[in-house]
Amino acid sequence: MTSTIKLFTNPDREVPMRVIVCGLPRTGTMSVRLALHQLGIYRCYHMVSVLGDLDSQADLWVAAFDNKYGDEKTRGAPWTRAQWDEILGTYQATVDMPAVVFSVELARAYPEAKVIVMRRDPDAWYASVSGTIVKAMKPTTAWNWIVTLYCAALDSRQRGWIRLGMTMDKYLASLHEKKSAVAWFHSMYEEFADGIPADRRLEYTVGDGWGPLCAYLDLPVPMVRDEATGEPVEAPFPRANDRASWLKEYASIRAQMASGATWNLINWTCRLAAIAGLGFVLWTSVGSQAGGEL
């Protein structure tokens, strides 16, 4: 069985796993993440968690995908709670990719956690995916290819992102073609339904608002003070990560990777220059000593 890469010296869980959100990308996962934060569930694992620590997180998820979907050399028994804690030990909830692909396994590993299944119309879901994730998955211009290769050569985060992306491409359906993408969408929800008892999961959309979410989690609806009347009223449900915001955020991440690659290039160039300078000084010093002896 493939073993996980050690992330913590002591994998003992630091906080309880409270919620597992079975939400594919573009089903309102960021809005729910923000909603859970407002409800006091502060540490919610999302794809942004991976992007924030690609150097360690990417290979952990590659190992998880290989263990579930790989051949006889890499596939093994479902990971244990302790193994999942290697990735999620400091988190109280999970949502979005890549964790959503392992929702059934996580629900079994954390039986105390409540499960929320995010719903969205498949056609609307694919329209959102094709306008965001599909656009970002592969470079579409020669310049984008150059930037990608430049970052991959000089920035370890980009290399981690490429490894994880290639792994997901290998095992999951292509999102570039609607028919296969929607078929995968349905297959994931069938997996949730087959693997998680109906009495343990809440079927939910972001349009449902606070009511059913708070009732299921047994938490009070967040309240704010109305500026006009001064009376407490229900807080607006968070709405985040629309297509424009998603593309803007992804462009920012790409810019950070390019900046990191450039910084690494400058750093390595300075080191090489320093080594070359020191070598030149030593060479001239030895040369002058030898000339003096003559």
Side-chain angles (χ1 to χ4, degrees):
M1 180 178 67
T2 303
S3 61
T4 57
I5 300 167
K6 279 293 182 182
L7 181 60
F8 307 115
T9 302
N10 181 0
D12 290 345
R13 173 156 288 278
E14 297 181 15
V15 292
M17 178 63 77
R18 298 174 64 184
V19 183
I20 295 165
V21 182
C22 306
L24 296 180
R26 313 308 301 163
T27 60
T29 57
M30 182 57 78
S31 295
V32 167
R33 185 176 190 246
L34 294 174
L36 292 176
H37 190 275
Q38 282 187 244
L39 294 172
I41 302 173
Y42 300 118
R43 295 279 291 169
C44 183
Y45 196 97
H46 186 280
M47 178 57 88
V48 296
S49 308
V50 182
L51 293 172
D53 189 17
L54 281 165
D55 283 330
S56 67
Q57 298 290 290
D59 286 335
L60 287 164
W61 285 111
V62 168
F65 275 103
D66 284 340
N67 185 71
K68 180 172 181 176
Y69 295 107
D71 58 25
E72 63 277 3
K73 294 181 180 179
T74 61
R75 190 169 57 246
W79 276 8
T80 64
R81 181 188 182 107
Q83 286 174 301
W84 284 117
D85 277 349
E86 291 287 337
I87 305 177
L88 304 170
T90 63
Y91 289 87
Q92 296 176 291
T94 66
V95 66
D96 201 74
M97 291 290 287
V100 65
V101 179
F102 303 92
S103 292
V104 171
E105 291 85 350
L106 291 173
R108 291 171 180 166
Y110 302 107
E112 72 281 10
K114 295 192 174 183
V115 179
I116 300 169
V117 178
M118 298 291 298
R119 289 291 186 177
R120 190 175 186 184
D121 174 76
D123 291 328
W125 170 77
Y126 187 74
S128 181
V129 166
S130 63
T132 52
I133 298 171
V134 171
K135 283 186 176 181
M137 284 178 68
K138 291 184 179 180
T140 55
T141 66
W143 175 248
N144 284 339
W145 273 109
I146 291 171
V147 172
T148 297
L149 293 173
Y150 171 76
C151 291
L154 296 169
D155 187 81
S156 60
R157 293 172 300 173
Q158 178 69 54
R159 293 193 294 274
W161 179 239
I162 290 174
R163 287 195 302 275
L164 179 56
M166 291 177 65
T167 299
M168 291 191 290
D169 282 347
K170 177 181 177 182
Y171 294 130
L172 306 180
S174 171
L175 296 179
H176 292 271
E177 200 276 320
K178 181 178 179 178
K179 184 177 180 180
S180 65
V182 171
W184 175 69
F185 178 93
H186 286 301
S187 71
M188 287 305 307
Y189 283 97
E190 288 172 4
E191 183 175 321
F192 302 154
D194 292 342
I196 303 170
D199 60 0
R200 190 185 167 191
R201 62 181 194 265
L202 170 70
E203 303 281 335
Y204 183 78
T205 72
V206 290
D208 294 336
W210 291 114
L213 179 64
C214 292
Y216 177 65
L217 297 177
D218 195 23
L219 294 170
V221 173
M223 306 295 284
V224 295
R225 188 170 299 280
D226 185 274
E227 293 182 0
T229 65
E231 296 296 321
V233 296
E234 183 175 306
F237 194 86
R239 294 286 190 273
N241 218 24
D242 58 28
R243 296 186 201 183
S245 299
W246 192 98
L247 292 169
K248 182 178 179 180
E249 180 63 23
Y250 185 77
S252 174
I253 292 169
R254 292 273 293 173
Q256 291 174 24
M257 289 183 179
S259 177
T262 300
W263 173 252
N264 287 338
L265 178 62
I266 294 172
N267 189 26
W268 295 340
T269 300
C270 290
R271 290 184 181 184
L272 288 173
I275 292 171
L278 178 60
F280 178 77
V281 170
L282 292 174
W283 181 78
T284 54
S285 175
V286 171
S288 63
Q289 292 179 5
E293 292 176 358
L294 292 175

